[in-house]
Amino acid sequence: GEDVEQSLFLSVREGDSSVINCTYTDSSSTYLYWYKQEPGAGLQLLTYIFSNMDMKQDQRLTVLLNKKDKHLSLRIADTQTGDSAIYFCAESLNSGNTPLVFGKGTRLSVIA
Amino acid sequence: GAVVSQHPSRVICKSGTSVKIECRSLDFQATTMFWYRQFPKQSLMLMATSNEGSKATYEQGVEKDKFLINHASLTLSTLTVTSAHPEDSSFYICSASTRNSNQPQHFGDGTRLSIL
């Protein structure tokens, strides 16, 4: 079955880069996502990548996908205190018509 | 961008009460809506998939008579927690998608349900 794994915690200093890693098991996953959840709030879509892509960059965010190893990473450059949140990795077979399978989330703490 | 509105954002009520949560797509037609549940410090787990005009498909272990889902229009799905008990206290969040499967789902801001 589908499974998504993430490390639970990451602590970085303000201004450093953060790298959050994720592994998934379903080789037929077509779309992979990163969501951000702040305390008491819903999910904010940060970025997503199609499985035929290796990398996607959007301002401070860089997503790397290693399809062979089923490994996804999210790099946040120049991490700010406002980036402190829980980051969820998720996968789906296609974008809109199938539900997402989420990892347990990585809690990012940014130290000033 | 596409917006999904979820109401209410927070509910506190007594045990035995039924609670209705609404999920609306504000600027697109949501042919499919998903309902997830998130326990404290845990991930989101899919409860059910709702397609407009048809019965919802529930995940294993989710009681369909307990969690009533209605998707009567292309912009609205509702989740009713019937006769809620303290163990139903959780964060409920919906997402919506269109027929265009190349677009990502959009999530509501969630509803925090607390049953006393």
Side-chain angles (χ1 to χ4, degrees):
Chain A
E2 303 165 336
D3 195 16
V4 177
E5 298 286 341
Q6 300 177 240
S7 53
L8 295 181
F9 300 99
L10 176 65
S11 182
V12 299
R13 292 196 176 278
E14 189 175 19
D16 288 349
S17 292
S18 307
V19 179
I20 303 171
N21 294 300
C22 170
T23 58
Y24 59 99
T25 57
D26 192 342
S27 58
S28 57
S29 292
T30 308
Y31 292 76
L32 296 131
Y33 307 81
W34 286 104
Y35 285 89
K36 177 182 180 182
Q37 186 179 37
E38 298 186 28
L43 296 181
Q44 175 192 353
L45 176 65
L46 290 178
T47 186
Y48 63 100
I49 190 169
F50 300 147
S51 61
N52 61 358
M53 299 168 65
D54 298 322
M55 186 191 84
K56 182 178 180 181
Q57 186 165 4
D58 183 4
Q59 299 182 335
R60 293 191 297 123
L61 304 179
T62 302
V63 179
L64 294 178
L65 174 60
N66 182 329
K67 195 174 180 181
K68 175 176 171 289
D69 294 338
K70 301 191 188 70
H71 181 267
L72 183 74
S73 68
L74 174 69
R75 179 177 180 268
I76 305 173
D78 187 24
T79 312
Q80 302 298 308
T81 55
D83 295 324
S84 294
I86 299 176
Y87 291 80
F88 289 96
C89 170
E91 62 168 1
S92 71
L93 293 179
N94 65 55
S95 186
N97 299 329
T98 59
L100 303 186
V101 177
F102 287 87
K104 286 185 167 54
T106 299
R107 183 179 295 276
L108 173 64
S109 298
V110 182
I111 305 165
Chain B
V3 177
V4 172
S5 174
Q6 189 173 338
H7 291 283
S9 58
R10 185 175 180 112
V11 180
I12 302 173
C13 57
K14 294 180 180 178
S15 184
T17 307
S18 292
V19 178
K20 180 185 282 189
I21 302 169
E22 293 187 347
C23 182
R24 292 181 185 274
S25 57
L26 297 185
D27 57 359
F28 67 100
Q29 293 185 329
T31 50
T32 305
M33 287 187 174
F34 302 97
W35 287 95
Y36 296 86
R37 182 174 181 175
Q38 184 182 30
F39 288 106
K41 298 183 180 180
Q42 294 193 28
S43 188
L44 283 79
M45 300 301 294
L46 179 69
M47 296 177 67
T49 301
S50 167
N51 292 299
E52 186 264 337
S54 62
K55 290 184 178 180
T57 303
Y58 290 80
E59 293 300 296
Q60 192 173 6
V62 178
E63 299 175 57
K64 61 178 68 175
D65 295 330
K66 173 80 171 172
F67 298 99
L68 301 178
I69 292 173
N70 183 285
H71 192 166
S73 78
L74 284 171
T75 58
L76 175 64
S77 177
T78 60
L79 166 67
T80 301
V81 184
T82 62
S83 186
H85 291 283
E87 58 267 27
D88 299 322
S89 298
S90 190
F91 188 66
Y92 294 87
I93 189 164
C94 69
S95 71
S97 67
T98 69
R99 285 194 180 93
N100 182 353
S101 65
N102 290 326
Q103 295 301 313
Q105 298 170 29
H106 297 276
F107 282 80
D109 286 335
T111 298
R112 186 160 303 281
L113 176 63
S114 300
I115 308 298
L116 304 178

